[in-house]
Amino acid sequence: MSLIVQKYGGTSVANPERIQNVAKRVAAYRAKGDQVVVVVSAMSGVTDNLIKMAKQIMPLPNEREMDMLLATGEQTTIALTAIALHALNVPAVSLTGAQAGIETDGVHSKAKIKKITPKQIRSLLDQGKVVIVAGFQGQTMEGQITTLGRGGSDLTAIALAASLKAGLCQIYTDVDGVYTADPRIVPNARKLQEISYDEMLELAGLGAKVMQSRSVEFAKKFGVVFEVRSSLNDNPGTIVKEEIPSMEDVVIRGVSLDKNQAKVTVVQVPDRPGVAALIFKSIAEANINVDMIVQNISHSNAVPLTDISFTVDKPDLLKASKVIEGLKEKVGFRQVIADEKIGKLSIVGVGMRSHPGVAAKMFETLAASGINIDMISTSEIKVSVTVDLAKGEEAMRVVHHAFLGA
Ligand code: ADP
Ligand code: ASP
Ligand code: MG
């Protein structure tokens, strides 16, 4: 007998019929004698809709109330999934994140899991029940409901798999696995049989929303091997695991496009020590993650001035702009420009370490298509550039073609 954690994303539980389909799959595993913990997301579109409603009332709603609101999405699905299992005569109990023992810090909308105490899960499993846990949510020590960032049900599943020492962790979604690029944008993308944690982490962090990047980080840290596969068929999926030497033979594992980034430019900042520190400390204190940073020096004035640009997640743009505006007197810059129309295109692969010329080939490919590069950043296993959002998908296809054929 093995303990399996299965996670079903929004499209896999999009309507009662899909939920019944999930229940059938869970029942089949249980019939084989396995213990099953099921993590479900909100039905597709529900979280977005809740956010939209709140924003209709005010643009920057209180974060505690947002978590209270968003947690309801998953709470609907757990109960419906339990009911669907009951209809198949399978004993099942639904648990909220708090009831499942998921304790987080107090950073609303992107809380980190601090500890899991799966006492109640264990005891229900021991009673022969299927346990259905609401993804994406937890509770602080003080009893406040928190959420784990968009796509956070992946994290719930992987953290539970680690905590319960599950024999198998399966992430069910609406595609057959992890592809060389988003198959909805690049029709010729291929399904990967396996991918290393580091590559998956980069792809996820750079826009391949098939896995939440924090969940992959967690999986790497605790050595949770997991499979990404479809809830709509029985095809084998993609195994995400520790790197093995042969993985370096492939130069580029995948291409991703992040349309969820925005650029903030602080214009004409006095070029003196401590200014960048002040800007990014203030941004960090507002719990905003910064990705790319570019600084240019201009010597045209008596006091050297510089432009500082950085990227943040689109939902954080308003908050980031406000934080910077608040520093205007102290820093003495000219203005803040917020640009939502950027796309971040990245190529990822551990093979980059041993194959030179990868960045040059990417830049040449974009140039040949007349696509202008704005910001650039690189790391050991990735090259990222920002381009005009309108050109993002075309850029993705030509770069995929250049490195991965087809
Ligand atoms: P779920 O609701 O199951 O969590 P998501 O919508 O979060 O599913 O993630 C699945 C989607 O991720 C797919 O429908 C696909 O369009 C997108 N995606 C982006 N990049 C990739 C990739 N490299 N491989 C597979 N899917 C990808
Ligand atoms: N429902 C949440 C979201 O849409 C969490 C998830 O689907 O994983 O982001
Ligand atoms: Mg998801």
Side-chain angles (χ1 to χ4, degrees):
M1 184 178 72
S2 129
L3 197 165
I4 307 179
V5 174
Q6 299 186 332
K7 178 256 170 177
Y8 293 90
T11 32
S12 305
V13 291
N15 52 48
E17 211 184 320
R18 290 262 173 98
I19 293 178
Q20 284 172 306
N21 178 47
V22 165
K24 272 190 214 143
R25 192 181 291 266
V26 172
Y29 273 94
R30 189 171 171 279
K32 285 192 268 178
D34 296 322
Q35 291 187 319
V36 193
V37 173
V38 182
V39 174
V40 286
S41 292
M43 295 159 90
S44 80
V46 166
T47 308
D48 285 340
N49 216 8
L50 292 169
I51 294 174
K52 207 168 113 197
M53 284 196 287
K55 292 204 163 161
Q56 260 170 25
I57 300 173
M58 74 185 283
L60 217 54
N62 176 278
E63 289 179 330
R64 177 194 181 275
E65 300 309 329
M66 282 309 284
D67 278 357
M68 188 65 94
L69 177 67
L70 298 192
T72 63
E74 271 68 15
Q75 207 166 321
T76 308
T77 329
I78 49 171
L80 289 173
T81 309
I83 292 167
L85 280 158
H86 296 166
L88 299 175
N89 286 321
V90 176
V93 179
S94 65
L95 298 178
T96 63
Q99 289 173 329
I102 298 172
E103 188 192 316
T104 72
D105 64 19
V107 183
H108 285 294
S109 87
K110 43 187 135 177
K112 286 205 170 73
I113 295 179
K114 281 172 66 178
K115 191 168 87 190
I116 299 186
T117 316
K119 238 175 50 201
Q120 208 176 153
I121 299 183
R122 284 256 183 239
S123 113
L124 291 165
L125 287 173
D126 290 345
Q127 292 165 35
K129 296 193 168 126
V130 171
V131 181
I132 300 146
V133 180
F136 178 54
Q137 54 174 262
Q139 181 175 275
T140 64
M141 221 167 64
E142 296 78 29
Q144 298 295 330
I145 293 179
T146 51
T147 64
L148 310 174
R150 296 303 307 265
S153 301
D154 294 335
L155 178 58
T156 305
I158 284 175
L160 281 176
S163 164
L164 294 163
K165 302 196 170 45
L168 202 59
C169 179
Q170 300 173 319
I171 307 289
Y172 285 95
T173 184
D174 57 359
V175 284
D176 280 9
V178 180
Y179 282 66
T180 49
D182 186 342
R184 290 180 212 287
I185 303 177
V186 182
N188 295 322
R190 294 188 308 272
K191 184 177 78 185
L192 298 163
Q193 267 178 16
E194 57 180 21
I195 182 169
S196 70
Y197 289 129
D198 287 333
E199 289 168 327
M200 188 69 249
L201 194 54
E202 291 285 9
L203 282 176
L206 297 165
K209 76 163 188 160
V210 62
M211 285 301 298
Q212 188 215 29
S213 65
R214 282 170 62 186
S215 72
V216 184
E217 224 172 302
F218 201 102
K220 181 182 171 182
K221 192 163 162 197
F222 293 97
V224 179
V225 175
F226 61 95
E227 183 185 15
V228 180
R229 53 185 297 177
S230 171
S231 67
L232 306 167
N233 59 48
D234 287 318
N235 298 340
T238 303
I239 305 291
V240 187
K241 60 179 196 182
E242 200 49 72
E243 183 180 336
I244 51 169
S246 64
M247 286 179 177
E248 258 198 46
D249 298 345
V250 180
V251 187
I252 296 298
R253 186 83 50 206
V255 180
S256 65
L257 175 66
D258 190 349
K259 297 180 186 174
N260 195 36
Q261 291 266 302
K263 183 172 74 170
V264 178
T265 303
V266 196
V267 182
Q268 295 193 356
V269 183
D271 192 11
R272 55 180 153 78
V275 169
L278 179 64
I279 288 177
F280 292 106
K281 190 165 163 257
S282 307
I283 291 285
E285 276 168 2
N287 272 310
I288 298 169
N289 291 322
V290 169
D291 180 31
M292 292 165 134
I293 300 176
V294 172
Q295 174 173 315
N296 289 313
I297 308 276
S298 124
H299 290 289
S300 55
N301 297 62
V303 186
L305 297 170
T306 166
D307 287 355
I308 298 179
S309 295
F310 58 93
T311 60
V312 296
D313 289 343
K314 227 173 240 178
D316 285 336
L317 181 61
L318 192 58
K319 200 163 142 194
S321 306
K322 279 198 172 158
V323 169
I324 304 291
E325 285 290 357
L327 298 173
K328 193 160 187 178
E329 250 175 54
K330 210 162 174 186
V331 175
F333 54 82
R334 191 157 71 89
Q335 68 176 128
V336 185
I337 301 173
D339 180 3
E340 281 198 311
K341 300 216 161 13
I342 64 162
K344 185 169 66 177
L345 175 71
S346 308
I347 51 176
V348 171
V350 290
M352 245 181 241
R353 295 187 201 119
S354 44
H355 296 80
V358 171
K361 182 170 169 182
M362 181 187 194
F363 303 159
E364 267 165 22
T365 305
L366 290 169
S369 293
I371 296 168
N372 193 43
I373 297 171
D374 186 15
M375 303 164 95
I376 299 174
S377 83
T378 63
S379 77
E380 199 190 15
I381 65 163
K382 71 135 204 263
V383 182
S384 299
V385 299
T386 63
V387 296
D388 178 5
L389 184 59
K391 296 259 169 109
E393 295 196 357
E394 181 194 347
M396 190 180 194
R397 283 188 285 266
V398 294
V399 168
H400 186 274
H401 181 76
F403 285 98
L404 292 150

